[in-house]
Amino acid sequence: MIRPPRRSSATPAASVFAWTVVGVLVLGLAAAAWIGTRGALAAGHLASAQAGVSAAAADGDDLAAALSRLSTVGADTRAARELTSDPIWTASMALPWVGPQLDALTRTAAAIDDAVATAFEPLAEASAGLSPESLRPVGGAFDVARLAEVAPAASTAAAALRAAADDVAGIERAPLLGRLADAVTASAQQLDTAADDADALRRATLLVPGMLGADGPRSTLVLFENNAEWRSLGGVVGAVAQLDADDGRLTLVAQASSPEFEPVATSPAGELPAEVQSIYDTRPARFVQNATQVPDFSVGAPVARELWRRLSGTEVDAVVAVDPVTLSYLLRATGPVALPSGDQLTADNTVSLLLDEVYRRYSDSREQDAFFQSASTAVFQAIADGRADPAALIDAVRRAGLERRLLAWNADAAQQALLDGTTLQGALPASDAGTGVFGVYLNDGTGSKMDYYLHPQVETASCGEGMASVHVTLRSDAPDPATLPSYVTGGGEHGVPPGDVLTGVYVYLPPGAEIVGQRTTSDGDPPGFAGGVHDGRRVLKWSVQLAPGESADLDVTVSVPGVTAVSAVSTPTRIPDEVPRAGTCRSGE
């Protein structure tokens, strides 16, 4: 018996629905496979590009070589961008959960590709001739035209990299998978660093050629600070020199020591703001030694400029400050230099020779000043003669700038604006919406060179929402005063026993900060307090006197609305490692 075929129980509509579901699943799987494959390829290209960036970083002292490497990563960044921008990928960005992942990868790839195309490649082409050797002076002159030619590309690159960094920084991290979130964060940090570096190059290409006389003769007054007698920005100004520049050629035309300024310091060399006078009196405007006492170089530099005009008759275009530690960094680039005294000045002995041994060797201050001048002249001449390794010289200048040992001020407002926001400006500490920054500035009150034996420690800590603290320790390891020259101890002339050290510590609080508590401990006499306000920042002055072997501590706790992180800047001392660091919260009482 033949049976009729069985009829399907499914309706035509159900069949259509079933096949539709199957089709959607197939398309979904295909799309997922497509996206996954392209995503993996894009990630591979970005990883390759990142490796190229790391290789370029290894050539950081050779700008042309570094930029050449960076320009070659363009093929990878373009491929990553194309892989993350096709119609299927773009449509999938609207999906829940997976959409933010795809969007983050797309934006990151696009930002990096934009940076390469609009920043690295043009900059590499413009700076192809800027190898370290090309920056070495020839016949005593730097090639300022070559550096100036890079300025347009550097400006374009700085703007493009900042835009790319801001775009990636704006990607919401919360919905992202851990590894992707970490990759986006790393990319944002890398772009931010590149943007900062490009901006530094932009400023340098706009500022340095002019300071080297590219646009005509230029005069700069160099202040030599002495870290053995502290001032807020480093040390007392013990000597000065005038450098003239014309078309890249530097000439040392005049020098003077601080005592030579006494005949022209009969009246203040400028009017200090009333709030500055209330804290520092008029001393920073009357003596060249105190040109670095106010922790704002734009206050002291014009004073030094005016005092030099009175003494020499020359009105310089710029003022620069350096210290012996900076000279030691420069000597790592030039190698040892010979002094008329028969000494070899090296990177290793510069600080001890200039801040300690010279006082033991010479009792006459004029002989000391002559030794300082010969040292600075020898280092300058080695650089002008082209003896410095260009890459090492750039590194020395960069390090001194980051440590706030190298400061610069320009009389021309437009040129000075190029230093805005840089450590070279020597400005008051700048806080932002989330980070409060303390300033801790050290000033000698002994009238001596005893700060060679003082050691500061500055620690900051966040103490909870809107709360922060700063801890300052001063310790003296001075030897028996009988073993030291009277010139070093001060001889008791200012009311401080020989061997003791009187220090004024000026603590600048973050803007809007209110003191919650303050506490001091001391092995010696109880310290004194004073205060004031400078440019919207409350200032607490701590005066403390220490005998050899004694130490003292200061703890200040403040409330700062909205602050979740804290840091500090402080006076650079003769020891580079004596810099602010993170610590534990210590409540003042």
Side-chain angles (χ1 to χ4, degrees), residues 355-405:
L355 299 183
D356 180 40
E357 186 175 338
V358 67
Y359 301 118
R360 301 175 185 272
R361 186 184 300 183
Y362 305 110
S363 58
D364 190 326
S365 62
R366 289 172 296 183
E367 292 180 295
Q368 297 166 4
D369 293 337
F371 190 88
F372 293 140
Q373 290 176 355
S374 69
S376 59
T377 299
V379 176
F380 160 76
Q381 197 60 52
I383 295 174
D385 289 345
R387 289 176 51 190
D389 174 78
L393 182 61
I394 292 172
D395 185 65
V397 172
R398 180 191 298 122
R399 182 176 180 184
L402 290 174
E403 294 178 5
R404 301 175 183 268
R405 301 181 184 281

Side-chain angles (χ1 to χ4, degrees), residues 210-238:
M211 294 190 73
L212 290 177
D215 305 316
R218 170 97 173 192
S219 294
T220 299
L221 182 67
V222 182
L223 311 180
F224 296 99
E225 300 181 78
N226 188 323
N227 306 106
E229 186 175 351
W230 286 336
R231 291 295 184 269
S232 294
L233 293 175
V236 64
V237 177

Side-chain angles (χ1 to χ4, degrees), residues 20 34 42 47 54 72 79 131 164 194 202 268 302 340-342 363 376 379 394 404 466 506 520 534 541-542 553 588:
T20 300
W34 177 269
S54 298
T72 63
S131 65
R202 175 189 71 85
S341 63
S363 58
S376 59
V379 176
I394 292 172
R404 301 175 183 268
Y506 295 81
T520 64
H534 184 184
K541 180 187 177 183
W542 174 38
D553 298 270

Side-chain angles (χ1 to χ4, degrees), residues 507-515 518 532-534 536-540:
V507 180
Y508 278 62
L509 307 183
E514 293 294 334
I515 296 176
Q518 59 191 44
V533 176
H534 184 184
R537 298 161 177 82
R538 188 171 175 181
V539 182
L540 176 66

Side-chain angles (χ1 to χ4, degrees), residues 138-142 144 212-213 244-251:
V138 177
F142 292 90
V144 291
L212 290 177
D244 283 0
D246 190 9
D247 196 25
R249 189 177 302 276
L250 289 171
T251 307

Side-chain angles (χ1 to χ4, degrees), residues 287-300:
F287 306 105
V288 71
Q289 297 96 315
N290 293 327
T292 50
Q293 185 174 20
V294 179
D296 183 350
F297 197 53
S298 68
V299 173

Side-chain angles (χ1 to χ4, degrees), residues 27-205:
L27 290 174
L29 291 172
W34 177 269
I35 291 171
T37 300
R38 293 175 74 85
L41 291 172
H45 283 295
L46 289 177
S48 178
Q50 188 176 35
V53 172
S54 298
D59 293 322
D61 291 329
D62 186 340
L63 175 63
L67 288 170
S68 178
R69 285 184 182 273
L70 287 173
S71 65
T72 63
V73 305
D76 281 309
T77 61
R78 282 190 293 274
R81 186 172 195 167
E82 291 171 359
L83 287 165
T84 58
S85 59
D86 67 272
I88 295 176
W89 185 287
T90 303
S92 299
M93 288 166 56
L95 297 173
W97 185 78
V98 72
Q101 320 298 319
L102 303 182
D103 179 66
L105 192 53
T106 297
R107 288 177 60 179
T108 301
I112 295 175
D113 186 48
D114 283 341
V116 171
T118 61
F120 296 148
E121 292 175 352
L123 192 54
E125 182 178 351
S127 61
L130 287 183
S131 65
E133 278 304 309
S134 72
L135 298 175
R136 192 186 295 273
V138 177
F142 292 90
D143 189 348
V144 291
R146 179 175 292 181
L147 183 60
E149 288 173 355
V150 183
S155 297
T156 300
L161 283 165
R162 177 49 56 198
D166 290 345
D167 188 21
V168 176
I171 296 174
E172 177 61 42
R173 309 288 202 278
L176 304 183
L177 294 172
R179 292 182 63 181
L180 180 57
D182 292 343
V184 170
T185 298
S187 296
Q189 292 172 343
Q190 203 168 45
L191 286 169
D192 188 63
T193 298
D196 287 344
D197 289 345
D199 186 58
L201 178 63
R202 175 189 71 85
R203 296 173 193 250
T205 56

